[in-house]
Each structure stands twice: as C-alpha cells, then as structure tokens.
Amino acid sequence: MPTVRPFTVDAALSAVAIGFRNTGMRIADQVMPRVAVAAENFKWTEYPIAEAFNTPDARVSRRGRPNQIEFTGTEQTSSVADYGLDAPVPYSDIQAAEDARAQGRSIIDPEQLATMMLMETIENIRESRVASLLFNLNSYAASRRVTLAGTSQFSDYTNSDPFGVLMAAIQGTLVYPPNTLIMGREAWTKISMHPKIVNAVKGGNTNSGIVNREQFTELFAGEGITQVLVGDGYVNTSKPGQAVTLNRAWGKHIAAIHLNPLAQTQGGITFGYTAEYGGRIAGRIEDPNVGLQGGYMIRAGERVKELIVAKDVGYFIQNAVA
C-alpha cells in the first residue's frame, strides 16, 4: 500500500528548492558528494583491503586447473534521514503580494520566498553536520590523525613546520593518497600567510605576503593534491530567542582526504559521500490556523545520509592553528 503524504509536492516550489544554492559559502556538497540511492533503506558493500593486494600463485600447468580465490565483502545497511522545516504563509500575505505584483510594485512571492529561506536553513544545517563529521577524530583511523598544540600550530610562524605536517598527512593515508585538502577559513588564513609557504611559492627569501589557493594547490600538486576547499560557512549557536552568536562551522582544522566523485554505494574508493533518496522537495499544506483567514504551511526538505566509508584514505589535523 503506498504511503500517504500529508501534503502535495508542488513542481514550481520544488524547482525553487532544487535551484537555490549559496555555493560561495558552503562546501558540504563538494566534501561529501551526493550519491543517489533507490530507497530510503539502502545497502553498501565494504570490501576487505587484503583482497585487493593478494598475490596468489596464478601459474597454471598444461593440464592443471587454475587456483581459485573467493572475493568477499561485508554488506552494510543504512537509511537516509528526513530533514525538513515548515514556514507559515497567511492567505492575507499571498493576496497582498499578488496585488503588489499586479500593480508592478513588487515581484515578491511569499511562498517561493519561504521555500528559499527554508532550503537556506536546511543547507546551513547540512554544512554544520558535514563539518562536524569530517572534523572529528573518530572519523579517522587512530594512526591517521594528529592534534597540534603550542609551537607546532601553524599560527606560530617561527617554530611550526607546515610542510612537515602536511607531507605526513599526504603520505599517511593507506594505498590511496589524498587529492583534496579541506580546511576552515581560520586555518586557511594563517597557513596562506605562513612565511615558509610564502617563501616556497615566491622565493627570493620573501617571508611576508600571502599565497592564493591556486598557488597553494600547485605547491602540493606533485604530491597528488588537485584541490583545496575552504569552508566559510557560519552557524548560529544560540538557542531560539537569544542574541545571535555566529561561529564558523569549519573551525581551525585541516583534513586531507581521497575524494572520488564517481564512487557509488556498491563500488569505488572514496573517504565519504552523501546517500540521497530522491531530490529536494517542497510543497504546501493548507492550514486554517495560520492567521485570521488561514493560509498555507510551506514545507521543504530532503532525505540524505552522510557516510564515511573508507577511514583509511583520510588524515585529520586537529587544531591546525590556535
């Protein structure tokens, strides 16, 4: 029996939800690329690393039988989580906006505006969720994480060794080297001005200045780094009703990960991805309790699950700067 949903998905509002992006601030979709799954509950396979590097005797005599090997895998089961929010829009607002548009005084559509703001909030939540997952010691194998403190932090321009730490991270993953460096804005600001980095890029004993992301990426290109992602997103950590307290979602950390955007739930090595069931949706529910005349409850959301599937192809530098 099909599931009965309490609201009707509206194509126009869904288009707004799908199309709205603030890519200049957020990197969650780059860090954890979306992978479509066919159902809310889905399976993915974890393969033992030993099987990829076995070297059995493959010689076959003239009348002999080849040796047989069996490949195994551990089937993991997971499910997407529903993330959604509602926003009330009174009939009176809708009518007033229609009149204003008819008179050429406005182009605002309250329902579309509510949808965009709902998805803006959903994306803020996802950015914070992905940052918390990626910048977490437990997301990495014990031998592939380090915590800096004091003079080892990159904010100490005299004593710290960013090359030594970053090279250890790049060389510290298992089999698949990192191709992506991810860091918060605070970490990037400090490391992009580090005298040792500036001198390596500009030469001539130039110990002051700043390097851009392209120059920094080129500096480590020979080690396999193809992109540097910097998280700029902010989150409000205050409780509802309290004064706004904005903090950067990505903090002061750095991660080096092997990122494969072509990986799927059944194959491909990548540090992590986002399982997504269906696309983003938006719709309206008629609600007689909105305002004096009633109105609509606009709902928008998505069904996703962020997964780390190969801890060993990532390396975490916690507290890279003070």
Side-chain angles (χ1 to χ4, degrees):
M1 183 175 179
T3 302
V4 177
R5 302 297 185 187
F7 73 105
T8 302
V9 173
D10 183 282
L13 296 186
S14 291
V16 173
I18 293 167
F20 190 78
R21 294 289 186 275
N22 190 357
T23 55
M25 295 290 289
R26 303 189 183 98
I27 60 173
D29 281 353
Q30 296 168 273
V31 173
M32 289 275 184
R34 295 172 184 257
V35 174
V37 294
E40 295 179 57
N41 298 309
F42 62 94
K43 297 178 179 179
W44 56 280
T45 304
E46 183 177 14
Y47 298 99
I49 192 168
E51 292 182 356
F53 299 94
N54 283 339
T55 56
D57 189 353
R59 292 175 298 177
V60 182
S61 64
R62 188 172 65 85
R63 299 184 63 183
R65 297 182 61 184
N67 286 333
Q68 294 184 359
I69 59 174
E70 182 179 359
F71 294 105
T72 61
T74 303
E75 190 173 71
Q76 307 284 0
T77 301
S78 190
S79 60
V80 296
D82 292 358
Y83 296 95
L85 293 169
D86 288 346
V89 179
Y91 287 138
S92 56
D93 286 8
I94 296 172
Q95 185 59 57
E98 287 179 353
D99 293 343
R101 292 197 302 274
Q103 297 168 19
R105 294 186 290 106
S106 172
I107 59 172
I108 296 297
D109 182 322
E111 293 178 279
Q112 290 194 356
L113 178 61
T115 303
M116 288 190 292
M117 294 310 297
L118 286 172
M119 287 312 308
E120 172 81 359
T121 306
I122 292 291
E123 287 191 355
N124 281 340
I125 295 169
R126 170 166 158 78
E127 189 78 6
S128 179
R129 194 169 63 243
V130 171
S132 297
L133 181 62
L134 191 80
F135 286 169
N136 186 318
L137 286 172
N138 294 327
S139 296
Y140 299 81
S143 61
R144 308 187 206 290
R145 60 196 190 200
V146 66
T147 298
L148 303 185
T151 58
S152 67
Q153 292 176 295
F154 300 157
S155 44
D156 186 330
Y157 287 168
T158 302
N159 299 294
S160 63
D161 180 15
F163 281 107
V165 174
L166 289 172
M167 290 299 288
I170 292 170
Q171 297 173 6
T173 59
L174 188 62
V175 182
Y176 289 83
N179 56 16
T180 302
L181 292 177
I182 302 157
M183 59 188 80
R185 171 59 63 177
E186 292 171 283
W188 168 248
T189 297
K190 291 293 185 181
I191 199 171
S192 66
M193 297 174 64
H194 198 291
K196 293 179 181 178
I197 298 293
V198 173
N199 182 258
V201 170
K202 299 186 177 182
N205 292 320
T206 304
N207 294 322
S208 62
I210 189 170
V211 301
N212 60 40
R213 256 186 275 181
E214 291 73 19
Q215 291 171 322
F216 189 86
T217 304
E218 180 62 27
L219 192 60
F220 291 94
E223 304 303 319
I225 299 300
T226 60
Q227 64 175 340
V228 175
L229 302 177
V230 177
D232 276 311
Y234 281 89
V235 292
N236 179 17
T237 57
S238 298
K239 294 181 179 179
Q242 294 182 340
V244 173
T245 302
L246 293 180
N247 290 302
R248 291 190 180 274
W250 293 92
K252 301 177 179 182
H253 319 295
I254 298 176
I257 66 172
H258 178 77
L259 185 62
N260 177 7
L262 300 180
Q264 300 293 315
T265 55
Q266 296 301 314
I269 296 296
T270 192
F271 181 75
Y273 51 69
T274 301
E276 179 181 38
Y277 176 53
R280 293 175 175 178
I281 61 172
R284 59 170 65 84
I285 308 168
E286 192 164 8
D287 189 342
N289 297 314
V290 175
L292 178 63
Q293 299 171 286
Y296 290 112
M297 193 67 70
I298 302 300
R299 179 170 298 174
E302 61 183 358
R303 294 170 174 170
V304 296
K305 176 71 171 184
E306 293 89 9
L307 292 169
I308 292 177
V309 297
K311 286 185 175 183
D312 286 300
V313 297
Y315 195 105
F316 181 41
I317 305 170
Q318 183 173 247
N319 298 334
V321 301

